[in-house]
Amino acid sequence: MDVEVFLTYSSISDDDVQDRTVVVIDVLRACSTIATALHRGARAVMPVLDMEQAGKIASNLDPDMCRLGGERNGEKIDGYHLGNSPEEYTREVVEDRDIILNTTNGTRALEQAKGAEVLVAACFLNAGKVVDFLGREADAVTIVCAGQQNRLALEDTLCAGLLLDRLWDGTEPNSVTDSAHTAFTLYHTDSENMSRALRQANHAQWLAEQGYEDDLAYCFQVDTLPVLPYYTENRLLLYDDVPATG
Ligand code: MLT
C-alpha cells in the first residue's frame, strides 16, 4: 500500500488528494464529534468552512430537521444549537437530523480534501473501522492530520501512527515517506504511556483549562465506535448507508 501522511492540512493541494483515499484525522474534536453524531443516528454531517457557508446551507433546510454545531476558540458559536463536545450530540438531539458542523481546523481539513477519490473521517474512537476499510478497499492512502492552527497536533499525529501501525502489522516497511516514519515512530515511542502523552498534548491541555476535561477522556478512547464517516455529495454519511453506484 502506498501511504503518505500530512502532519497538518494547510499545505495540501488538489494534486495531493486526487485519485487517493484520504483519511482526515481531527481527534480534538471535530472527527470525534462527527463519528459520535453519526453513531447516534444523525442522518448526515455537513462540514463547512465558515459561518457564511453554514448559514447558507441552514437556510435551505427544514429548521426542525437540522442542527448547527461547531466552535470558535473552542466555544459554541453564538446562535448555534451545539458546540464541539462530542457528548452534546446525543441521540435525542441528532437522530434523523442533518448536522452542519463548523470548526476551526477539522471541518476545514475535510473541505480542503474533498477532491479525493474517497474521503473518510478518523479519530481514535473509530480507528478499527477505518483500518478495516483501508485494508480492504484502498491502494493509495493519504492521511491528513488536521493539526492546530497550521501546526502539528500531537494527538492527530499519534492517531496517524496508530493507523499506520495497524496497516503495517506493527512493522515499518523498508521504503516510507519521512512524515509516515515520523508518525509511526512517535506512536511507538509514546505507546508505552499513551494516556500521559495525549494529556500533555498542547490542545488537550488547552481544552482542559477551558473546562473540557470530559471531552479528553471521551476522545482518547480507542475503537469504541464502529462507524466510518464517508464523504459524498458535500456530506459525511455512515459508509454502510452510502448508496451503491454503478
Ligand atoms: C477544530 O476543528 O479545530 C477542533 O475540533 C477544535 C476543537 O477542539 O473544538
Side-chain angles (χ1 to χ4, degrees):
M1 183 185 286
D2 160 17
V3 186
E4 177 56 291
V5 176
F6 286 82
L7 298 173
T8 70
Y9 80 90
S10 36
S11 65
I12 62 167
S13 67
D14 285 349
D15 284 350
D16 294 321
V17 299
Q18 71 182 9
D19 302 325
R20 299 184 68 87
T21 296
V22 174
V23 181
V24 167
I25 297 175
D26 185 9
V27 170
L28 297 175
R29 296 166 291 174
C31 293
S32 300
T33 295
I34 291 165
T36 302
L38 290 174
H39 183 62
R40 293 187 178 159
R43 198 160 53 179
V45 178
M46 303 171 183
V48 298
L49 285 174
D50 53 26
M51 312 297 167
E52 194 187 342
Q53 193 186 4
K56 214 178 263 177
I57 294 172
S59 67
N60 287 314
L61 295 175
D62 175 348
D64 283 344
M65 299 313 294
C66 76
R67 289 291 175 265
L68 276 160
E71 56 68 39
R72 283 297 176 271
N73 295 320
E75 299 299 332
K76 179 163 92 69
I77 297 167
D78 271 354
Y80 278 30
H81 305 96
L82 299 156
N84 197 24
S85 289
E87 300 232 71
E88 287 178 67
Y89 292 69
T90 59
R91 186 166 286 280
E92 195 187 2
V93 172
V94 304
E95 192 162 37
D96 296 327
R97 291 195 165 107
D98 294 324
I99 309 299
I100 303 164
L101 191 65
N102 178 4
T103 74
T104 312
N105 303 283
T107 61
R108 290 178 179 163
L110 284 158
E111 271 285 297
Q112 195 139 328
K114 69 183 183 186
E117 184 175 335
V118 169
L119 175 57
V120 299
C123 54
F124 285 113
L125 302 172
N126 70 342
K129 191 81 178 176
V130 171
V131 170
D132 285 351
F133 173 78
L134 296 176
R136 238 186 14 253
E137 307 278 344
D139 294 323
V141 175
T142 297
I143 297 175
V144 177
C145 297
Q148 183 67 4
Q149 319 278 28
N150 303 329
R151 292 168 179 81
L152 179 151
L154 183 62
E155 66 281 4
D156 293 344
T157 308
L158 290 174
C159 187
L162 170 76
L163 300 186
L164 292 174
D165 184 61
R166 292 180 176 186
L167 286 170
W168 294 339
D169 285 332
T171 305
E172 188 178 305
N174 287 333
S175 171
V176 298
T177 66
D178 292 351
S179 48
H181 172 75
T182 301
F184 179 83
T185 307
L186 197 61
Y187 172 74
H188 273 267
T189 305
D190 280 344
S191 62
E192 293 283 302
N193 198 341
M194 187 57 81
S195 162
R196 182 164 177 270
L198 288 169
R199 279 173 183 278
Q200 282 184 341
N202 295 165
H203 192 44
Q205 289 192 354
W206 185 80
L207 284 171
E209 281 161 20
Q210 308 309 307
Y212 293 111
E213 182 72 35
D214 290 352
D215 287 0
L216 305 181
Y218 181 83
C219 295
F220 293 158
Q221 300 172 99
V222 181
D223 293 336
T224 51
L225 300 182
V227 296
L228 183 69
Y230 184 97
Y231 190 90
T232 180
E233 296 179 0
N234 301 318
R235 65 198 62 213
L236 290 144
L237 305 177
L238 285 181
Y239 178 63
D240 298 333
D241 295 345
V242 175
T245 51

